[in-house]
Amino acid sequence: MSVSDQPASSAESTTPAPSIPSARPASSGQSDHSGETGRTAQSATFPHQPAHPVDRAFLNLERSRPDAHWDSGGVAYLSGPPPALADLRAYVGYRLGELPLLTSRIEGGGRPRWQPDPGFAVDLHVHEVVADGPAGWDSALHTALNAPFAAGTYWGVWLIHGHAPDAYAVCYRFRHACQDGSAAAMTFRAVLGEGEPSARPVPDRGRRAAVPRRVASAVGLAVKFVAGTLVVRGHRPVAAYVPTGERQLWRGRVPVDTLRRIGASRGGSAHDAHLAALTGALKAWADRSGVSLPRVTAVLPVDARRPDEEQTWGNRCFALPLELPVRVASSHPDGSSDDDAALRRLDHVMTATRKLRGDVWRQAIGDLVRFMPARPTEWYMRRVLSPRVTNVMATSMPIADKGSLGETQVTGTALIPLLVPGHLFAVGLSFFGQWAEVSIVADSGLPLGELLPELWEQAVQELEDSSAPV
């Protein structure tokens, strides 16, 4: 395997690269990027934007734990011959005209702001990793997942190829202070997608509660979740493994309609079915790995954008803790299988998430994220991400219906959720086309972590069998 900032040599790639759409816009008035070497021009001067309190919280977390990975992202898997690195850089440079955040940087101390970066260079952001043949895929992906960002940059793209003549991947990673998952999904749709809007749930434009009631809901919600981070103050998490500092990624997938049918059978959602299956997978994994799980509390990032917000500078998410029902036994005391255990887990999850699906709580979360001051926001983020409060990151995101790069098609996706120091692992669920794709990101020291996606698929099957009408 080799890592390079230069195009692969002719000896490394004998298959013609796909044609990537021209980086020259037809009539937008933007500058032609094809004549620039590594830099992207901006069609307009974008306004300076204050860094959101959640951005500032992540920046301070980075400073307090510089040894940890404070980045997230995703991987798009494509069928067809890979493009040349220079062509990919030109294409990304053109697309950045639609993504002003990605050509900005944070400036200022006490009151940091996002502002255009006059020295932005595409070459510092787009790289490639060449695998040493079919057996080199895992090593190449590992390199892309763990490669440091170039100095002064907030994100990076890694073109991964060399393992097969007709398949490659594009890995996109970003510092979490720069973006959250919803903005990253929009980045996917702008660069690789077909332009369809996000399927994320947002508060109804036409329904707005009276201000006093909204304030009361927001304050009540804040008190509820702050209290939830305090009652476990004395909890001492058990170390499941010795961390190595290197991340690994494993994937599983099921048809998205399967999760929807399971959730709908009990009045819930596909996400409820996913969390119930995750709980079942955790129980099975704990039994096989020997890791004791007296409690598992997942932190759920909730998108808090207003209906008119799509791309923004930084984060607009709120982190909520949710205890997963790992204590629900899979067998009776006599050792016989309990056929209803999977459905009891689903009912438990649905009870906990029911309010999150309602307009009142979504409006309250949006108000909290919009108006919460910086210091309380950082205190809460540190508390809710602490392994004393939560020990799994669980996020989900609708990505797109389809995607392509030139003549090559996206065949699958994987989220790279934030792996918080002290957490067991992070799990991401991406909805792409007809598939619900689960990705597990864990430190390479986690015992038997590679089993988790398969155990999740088996847990989904168990839920489907249990929820099927007799």
Side-chain angles (χ1 to χ4, degrees):
M1 179 200 66
S2 63
V3 183
S4 173
D5 286 340
Q6 301 299 323
S9 68
S10 59
E12 293 170 333
S13 178
T14 58
T15 307
S19 61
I20 294 181
S22 171
R24 186 188 302 274
S27 59
S28 63
Q30 290 179 303
S31 301
D32 176 14
H33 301 278
S34 60
E36 300 181 12
T37 57
R39 295 188 181 273
T40 179
Q42 297 185 34
S43 61
T45 299
F46 299 105
H48 295 198
Q49 298 286 335
H52 192 273
V54 180
D55 306 349
R56 296 163 67 177
F58 276 115
L59 285 171
N60 288 333
L61 284 168
E62 288 183 15
R63 297 187 187 105
S64 64
R65 287 293 305 273
D67 58 312
H69 292 282
W70 292 104
D71 60 270
S72 299
V75 181
Y77 301 84
L78 296 100
S79 63
L85 177 60
D87 290 340
L88 181 60
R89 283 175 169 167
Y91 179 69
V92 170
Y94 166 55
R95 287 299 186 185
L96 288 176
E98 305 170 35
L99 302 165
L101 163 66
L102 299 189
T103 56
S104 302
R105 63 181 298 107
I106 289 182
E107 297 288 353
R111 295 179 178 274
R113 303 178 71 83
W114 288 99
Q115 61 185 38
D117 180 3
F120 179 86
V122 172
D123 289 7
L124 295 178
H125 294 77
V126 183
H127 320 281
E128 75 175 345
V129 183
V130 183
D132 293 332
W137 165 253
D138 288 341
S139 180
L141 178 61
H142 182 270
T143 297
L145 284 177
N146 294 285
F149 293 115
T153 64
Y154 295 85
W155 59 272
V157 169
W158 284 264
L159 171 65
I160 312 170
H161 65 97
H163 58 290
D166 58 352
Y168 68 101
V170 175
C171 175
Y172 169 58
R173 289 170 40 216
F174 54 90
R175 289 166 57 181
H176 215 305
C178 174
Q179 272 189 321
D180 58 24
S182 291
M186 202 219 72
T187 300
F188 177 97
R189 291 188 293 274
V191 176
L192 297 177
E194 302 291 322
E196 69 269 22
S198 170
R200 62 187 175 86
V202 294
D204 188 352
R205 285 176 181 270
R207 298 178 61 186
R208 287 290 183 270
V211 171
R213 198 166 89 191
R214 283 175 57 180
V215 171
S217 297
V219 171
L221 189 67
V223 170
K224 173 182 174 63
F225 287 107
V226 166
T229 69
L230 295 175
V231 295
V232 292
R233 183 185 293 274
H235 174 72
R236 292 291 189 273
V238 178
Y241 61 94
V242 178
T244 67
E246 298 287 312
R247 293 179 296 188
Q248 288 190 280
L249 169 67
W250 300 287
R251 301 169 63 208
R253 57 166 29 180
V254 298
V256 66
D257 286 344
T258 300
L259 290 184
R260 289 172 178 158
R261 281 196 306 269
I262 294 169
S265 70
R266 313 289 281 193
S269 67
H271 191 250
D272 292 329
H274 157 62
L275 291 175
L278 176 62
T279 305
L282 276 166
K283 274 197 70 66
W285 171 80
D287 292 341
R288 295 196 189 186
S289 66
V291 175
S292 175
L293 292 180
R295 57 175 287 276
V296 175
T297 302
V299 56
L300 307 181
V302 177
D303 184 10
R305 282 172 174 75
R306 299 188 305 273
D308 59 332
E309 288 183 307
E310 185 67 59
Q311 166 70 23
T312 63
W313 279 255
N315 293 262
R316 297 295 186 275
C317 62
F318 192 71
L320 302 179
L322 175 70
E323 186 169 358
L324 299 180
V326 291
R327 294 189 185 91
V328 174
S330 299
S331 59
H332 295 293
D334 62 1
S336 60
S337 178
D338 184 353
D339 295 336
D340 294 330
L343 291 181
R344 290 206 305 274
R345 294 188 192 106
L346 178 57
D347 290 340
H348 185 287
V349 167
M350 287 173 48
T351 299
T353 63
R354 184 169 290 115
K355 287 187 176 181
L356 294 178
R357 297 192 294 270
D359 289 340
V360 173
W361 270 38
R362 285 210 165 268
Q363 182 69 65
I365 290 171
D367 291 337
L368 274 177
V369 171
R370 190 176 182 185
F371 299 112
M372 200 171 190
R375 287 187 179 180
T377 297
E378 182 177 347
W379 179 90
Y380 176 78
M381 292 291 292
R382 287 181 180 274
R383 286 295 306 165
V384 79
L385 295 179
S386 166
R388 294 189 177 189
V389 178
T390 58
N391 49 6
V392 169
M393 171 69 72
T395 187
S396 66
M397 189 57 54
I399 301 296
D401 289 335
K402 59 179 69 174
S404 62
L405 182 57
E407 298 172 358
T408 62
Q409 300 298 311
V410 178
T411 60
T413 59
L415 300 184
I416 307 173
L418 180 67
L419 181 59
V420 178
H423 279 201
L424 284 169
F425 57 83
V427 57
L429 183 70
S430 58
F431 296 95
F432 177 76
Q434 304 303 311
W435 294 99
E437 310 210 35
V438 71
S439 55
I440 306 292
V441 174
D443 187 276
S444 58
L446 183 73
L448 301 182
E450 68 276 8
L451 297 181
L452 283 163
E454 181 182 355
L455 294 174
W456 177 83
E457 290 176 351
Q458 292 172 1
V460 171
Q461 184 63 57
E462 183 182 1
L463 276 167
E464 184 177 29
D465 294 342
S466 301
S467 60
V470 179

